[in-house]
Amino acid sequence: MWVKDPDAMHVLNSQGGRATVYVVNVGDRDIQVGSHFHLADVNRDLLFFTDLDTATEAEAVLTDSRRVRSEQIAAARNLAYDWSKTPGKAPWGYRLDIAPGDSVRFSPENAPSEAIAVVPIGGRRRVPGLRKDKPDDDVALD
């Protein structure tokens, strides 16, 4: 990033509406998420939690040797945040609070993740269909 005055303070993301989430990857490989990707549209193998205790409980379920893997994942999904359209609740309408062009990689081995800061998507608050199973038209976030 080119900055004319390196001593000046530059705000990259809005401070309003910030939230914290914890992420558990139930897949078998790392998943990388870019800076401006709508979190509710990321790979379905990423589960979002708004508190560390529930994320930790989900990780315990995922390592329960009394269940087969499909049962472990189903139980963890039941603990995760509902992906339905709920304005104001992460991950719906939120993106990662990182610099433009950056990304974060979530590994199945590092679950739950550290606290991840997220911010509301700004602008017109509309996102296009970003996955094959979603419509191509814009979705209003509010």
Side-chain angles (χ1 to χ4, degrees):
M1 175 185 333
W2 181 78
V3 178
K4 185 174 184 179
D5 179 2
D7 295 326
M9 183 175 191
H10 299 279
V11 177
L12 295 178
N13 293 321
S14 167
Q15 303 301 307
R18 297 180 103 175
T20 300
V21 296
Y22 299 88
V23 182
V24 172
N25 180 349
V26 298
D28 60 356
R29 57 186 55 107
D30 291 0
I31 297 172
Q32 188 163 318
V33 179
S35 58
H36 285 76
F37 205 90
H38 184 217
L39 291 179
D41 287 324
V42 298
N43 189 310
R44 299 300 270 175
D45 283 343
L46 292 184
L47 305 182
F48 293 92
F49 301 87
T50 54
D51 66 277
L52 182 57
D53 291 339
T54 308
T56 303
E57 183 180 346
E59 182 58 22
V61 166
L62 288 167
T63 58
D64 182 355
S65 61
R66 296 170 294 173
R67 300 179 189 201
V68 296
R69 186 64 179 163
S70 60
E71 292 172 340
Q72 293 171 339
I73 292 172
R77 284 189 196 284
N78 286 335
L79 295 169
Y81 177 75
D82 182 6
W83 287 65
S84 65
K85 182 179 177 178
T86 309
K89 291 279 286 182
W92 183 264
Y94 282 78
R95 63 180 181 81
L96 297 172
D97 184 13
I98 56 177
D102 280 354
S103 61
V104 175
R105 185 176 296 256
F106 298 99
S107 172
E109 291 84 27
N110 298 333
S113 69
E114 300 292 323
I116 304 294
V118 296
V119 293
I121 292 176
R124 295 184 320 155
R125 297 200 36 81
R126 300 178 69 77
V127 295
L130 300 171
R131 293 190 358 220
K132 290 180 183 178
D133 61 339
K134 296 265 185 167
D136 289 332
D137 56 338
D138 286 351
V139 174
L141 297 175
D142 293 322

